[in-house]
Amino acid sequence: MLGYMNPGSLKRTLEGTQVWFYSRSQEDLWHKGEVSGNYLNLREWYVDCDSDTILLKVDPDGPACHTGEISCFYTEMDGLPDDYEASDELFAVIKDRQRAMPEGSYTAKLLAEGTSRVAQKVIEEAGETALAAATNDTENPARGNRGPFVSYPHLDGFGRGVAQRRLGGIAFPSGLASST
């Protein structure tokens, strides 16, 4: 299964014997198995080379998936879903602009102006998008603006490199809720 962790869930997991996650929907810690009895008992844990993913090896007390399946990954795919959006392409464009800093590129200009300017642009685009969505305004010019900073989650770290904070010797990119 895939779960999300924050510093609190990671701390509880590593101090105990069972896995805790961070529930983004409930905005609270989640002790896996507390309701179902299907606990995940921690055997080993590893962090990847850039310290943004943790792999937990566990002994499960039952199925990991809430559906009763052994794993949450039981549905085979035979193609991309109809509603799939290729956001990695946009991320690649932004990274390319950051690397090359081409003259005349608006993205490169924003990046050169620093983190505060990038954040200001993200806030501006998010506000316009939220207003258009809240008012069901399909005619708002902002909705047609598909620049690289529209509601894009990978912007954390742009303009300042990979700023990191440390938790128990493990480096996590700033603002990352840490994922397993």
Side-chain angles (χ1 to χ4, degrees):
M1 73 172 281
L2 172 72
Y4 293 87
M5 298 183 105
N6 68 358
S9 62
L10 180 62
K11 184 175 190 281
R12 285 186 109 163
T13 297
L14 299 180
E15 287 178 346
T17 60
Q18 295 178 330
V19 178
W20 287 74
F21 293 109
Y22 176 75
S23 170
R24 296 179 302 163
S25 60
Q26 299 295 317
E27 297 182 351
D28 200 5
L29 296 184
W30 163 43
H31 186 191
K32 172 67 176 124
E34 186 173 24
V35 174
S36 66
N38 299 326
Y39 294 97
L40 298 178
N41 302 294
L42 184 64
R43 275 194 348 234
E44 303 170 40
W45 64 285
Y46 301 87
V47 65
D48 75 333
C49 60
D50 57 357
S51 301
D52 63 1
T53 303
I54 299 170
L55 172 68
L56 302 176
K57 290 192 176 183
V58 301
D59 290 318
D61 285 341
C65 184
H66 74 283
T67 65
E69 294 285 335
I70 292 171
S71 166
C72 295
F73 297 94
Y74 59 88
T75 305
E76 187 175 338
M77 290 181 60
D78 39 334
L80 292 175
D82 292 336
D83 60 351
Y84 176 78
E85 291 183 29
S87 63
D88 286 342
E89 291 175 31
L90 182 56
F91 181 63
V93 168
I94 295 171
K95 287 298 285 182
D96 182 61
R97 297 294 193 281
Q98 184 182 34
R99 192 173 22 262
M101 297 299 279
E103 192 172 323
S105 164
Y106 184 66
T107 301
K109 177 181 179 271
L110 287 174
L111 292 169
E113 291 174 0
T115 304
S116 293
R117 181 64 180 111
V118 170
Q120 181 184 25
K121 184 62 177 171
V122 170
I123 291 166
E124 175 188 326
E125 295 295 340
E128 290 174 356
T129 302
L131 273 172
T135 61
N136 201 21
D137 183 0
T138 58
E139 300 301 317
N140 185 329
R143 293 185 62 95
N145 180 355
R146 295 292 179 238
F149 291 102
V150 177
S151 304
Y152 199 69
H154 295 296
L155 283 174
D156 184 45
F158 279 113
R160 65 179 184 279
V162 182
Q164 296 184 335
R165 57 184 167 82
R166 295 225 170 243
L167 171 70
I170 302 169
F172 294 99
S174 299
L176 186 66
S178 173
S179 59
T180 60

